[in-house]
Every structure is written in structure tokens, then in C-alpha cells.
Amino acid sequence: MLYLVGLGLADETDITVKGVEIVKKAERVYLEAYTSILLVDKEKLESFYGRDVIIADRETVEGGSDDILENAQEKDIAFLVVGDPFGATTHTDLVLRARELSIPVQTIPNASILSAIGSTGLQLYNFGQTVSMVFFTENWRPSSFYDRIKENTSIGLHTLVLVDIKVKEQSYEDMARGRKVYQPPRYMTVSQCASQMLEVEDSRKEQVYAEDSLAIGAARVGSKDQKMACGTLEELSTIDLGPPLHSLVLLGKRAHDLERDYIRAFAVNQQSFDASWAKYYSS
């Protein structure tokens, strides 16, 4: 059996009881380590589980799935995923490969940012499409996220923006030369995300959002030092919410007064919050 085990969002204790039981009996235990990260290191997981954990990076998962699935027809293999196992399409690909090899698959769900973002106080059924924000480069500034946000805002829905992480990435030069040299990990912040959003709005000029549109920055959701900040995109473009992981929610215009009362406690500046709410969100 191939088991896809969700780990939750924060630390080694977020795994479910069912998940722990599977990890303890599995022949091999892999930790997927590039679509997201836990807020603790591998050694803490190994100590808690009493098992060795094999790091599965992008190359291993996307190019070496046969190694992960080796003997899975006869042995139990645990594949650990931060959050919920199906928060990334990569894991769907692994399941499809297992099916081709007639390997049974079982999924152990857990909390993901898609559900835990409700801790902002925004109602989950008021969210539209989730979008991703990548690091801009000098020559690459993709704006497809803008079109999805436009669709959400047209019907007044909130937008969850998942921000980029770069783990075990190579430079173009090293890839071209076939050198296995990796860049230091990088994790996008709320301020970088808000800045890039404003840059794209300034370029597209379709008035999907503005500098004074309200958004919520969320850092380390589910952990003991979880932090939230609500403010205009301009305010969030300069905010420091500390270590990763971060995400951002752009407020939709169907926001409810109960949501306002909840998120106002996170306001960077309550006067600017009230002004933006009165301008865009009050009915």
C-alpha cells in the first residue's frame, strides 16, 4: 500500500493518530519537501515518530517516483505531505503512477492552508478561486493570477493568494551546465506578494484592486506564533510578519459585517481600515 499522509501545518504533533500508526509500521517513510515546509526540521519528526525519514525533493517526486513506489505492492510505504495530501497536483501524479503499477493507495487527510485560512475570521464559503504568486524576475513577471482575482472580485469573493517558495532550486547557468548546485531556500513574504500585486495592477490598470484595497497577511498559520495583519495592500507591502510560511487574502466586496468585526482586531491602522471598509465593502 502507498499511504499519502497529511501532516497538518505547523509541527510534528499535527499529524493524526491514524497517520502516526501508519508511519510507525511503514517499510519506508518519505517527506515531500518542496511544495511546502513544516515549521520544524526533519530531526524533530524522526524523534517524534521513532523512524528515519527520507527527504523527497522535486527531483525525487517528479523524476524518481519508481524509487518511492519500489516494492509497494508487497510493503507499506508512507509518503508524508505538509498540509493535506492533495493540496498540490504533484501528489495526484504519484497516485496515478501507483495505479499504473496496481499499487493500492490510501489517503490520510489533514488540515491545509485552504481550510485553516478560516482562522483569519473570513467565512470559507465566501472564497473564490485560490491563486499562486511566484517570485518575479527581471525578465519574467507572469500575471495570470490577476485574471483569476478579477473573476473572484467580479462576484465579490475573497481570494487566497499562496506565495512562492524556492527549495533546492538551480540557477539557469548551473542547469545549462549540468551542475548539481542549488540556490539557498527562499520564501516569499506578504510584503513581497502585496508589492507584486500592486505592480501588476499598475501595469494592467483594470481596477481589479487598488492600493487601498483591504487584505489580510497571514504568517505561520496553525502554529503557536501565528500572526495576522489586516490593512491596505499599500500597508501590507511594507509589513514584516517574520519567518515563513506566509499567505495573503484579498478581501471581496461581499464581506460581511461579522467578518469586519473579526478582522478589524488585526488592523495595521484602524482609521485606514475603517476608511477602506466604508469605501469598498459597506452595503
Side-chain angles (χ1 to χ4, degrees):
M1 179 80 75
L2 170 67
Y3 290 96
L4 274 67
V5 181
L7 295 182
L9 292 170
D11 59 35
E12 72 278 12
T13 65
D14 282 348
I15 192 171
T16 63
V17 173
K18 185 181 292 185
V20 169
E21 291 174 347
I22 289 167
V23 167
K24 289 185 178 296
K25 73 173 185 176
E27 178 78 7
R28 297 190 305 278
V29 181
Y30 293 91
L31 172 63
E32 190 266 90
Y34 73 90
T35 59
S36 188
I37 59 166
L38 276 185
L39 304 182
V40 295
D41 56 28
K42 178 174 79 85
E43 287 70 28
K44 267 207 166 185
L45 295 184
E46 291 177 327
S47 176
F48 187 74
Y49 302 149
R51 294 295 311 276
D52 289 337
V53 173
I54 304 166
I55 293 293
D57 58 20
R58 182 188 296 272
E59 293 176 7
T60 303
V61 178
E62 296 184 349
S65 61
D66 288 346
D67 293 334
I68 296 172
L69 298 175
E70 184 180 2
N71 298 328
Q73 293 92 340
E74 296 86 27
K75 304 289 186 180
D76 289 332
I77 308 301
F79 186 78
L80 312 182
V81 180
V82 177
D84 185 80
F86 290 110
T89 54
T90 294
H91 311 128
T92 304
D93 292 340
L94 184 62
V95 171
L96 292 174
R97 178 59 179 151
R99 286 180 182 174
E100 291 175 0
L101 299 172
S102 299
I103 297 169
V105 178
Q106 184 175 339
T107 304
I108 313 301
N110 209 322
S112 76
I113 190 61
L114 298 176
S115 57
I117 200 64
S119 60
T120 58
L122 300 179
Q123 297 164 3
L124 290 178
Y125 50 75
N126 283 340
F127 278 76
Q129 302 168 86
T130 298
V131 303
S132 297
M133 176 69 73
V134 300
F135 282 110
F136 286 178
T137 68
E138 184 177 347
N139 301 314
W140 189 55
R141 283 169 154 71
S143 61
S144 58
F145 73 88
Y146 186 86
D147 299 308
R148 304 288 79 76
I149 293 178
K150 184 177 182 179
E151 292 172 3
N152 289 345
T153 57
S154 71
I155 51 176
L157 297 178
H158 309 314
T159 301
L160 171 61
V161 185
L162 302 178
V163 302
D164 203 2
I165 69 172
K166 298 291 188 186
V167 178
K168 207 174 181 182
E169 295 280 333
Q170 292 179 277
S171 69
Y172 292 122
E173 181 182 353
D174 287 328
M175 281 193 291
R177 295 177 179 274
R179 297 187 297 216
K180 295 290 185 179
V181 178
Y182 301 101
Q183 303 296 306
R186 290 192 297 152
Y187 306 98
M188 184 179 285
T189 65
V190 162
S191 63
Q192 290 171 316
C193 177
S195 296
Q196 292 187 179
M197 288 176 67
L198 290 174
E199 178 184 327
V200 171
E201 176 58 57
D202 187 57
S203 173
R204 297 278 294 262
K205 300 185 186 305
E206 297 177 35
Q207 299 180 336
V208 172
Y209 47 80
E211 288 185 349
D212 59 349
S213 295
L214 288 176
I216 301 174
R220 301 171 302 283
V221 173
S223 71
K224 292 178 181 178
D225 65 340
Q226 169 180 297
K227 190 170 184 179
M228 306 281 182
C230 181
T232 66
L233 282 174
E234 184 176 27
E235 289 169 337
L236 293 186
S237 70
T238 61
I239 201 165
D240 181 2
L241 293 181
L245 294 170
H246 290 192
S247 55
L248 181 145
V249 180
L250 182 68
L251 223 62
K253 293 184 179 179
R254 282 169 50 182
H256 192 275
D257 286 349
L258 287 175
E259 294 176 301
R260 175 201 62 199
D261 294 344
Y262 197 103
I263 65 178
R264 192 174 185 271
F266 306 137
V268 176
N269 181 301
Q270 292 192 341
Q271 286 184 326
S272 60
F273 175 91
D274 292 340
S276 292
W277 184 274
K279 181 177 180 180
Y280 294 114
Y281 307 97
S282 60
S283 55

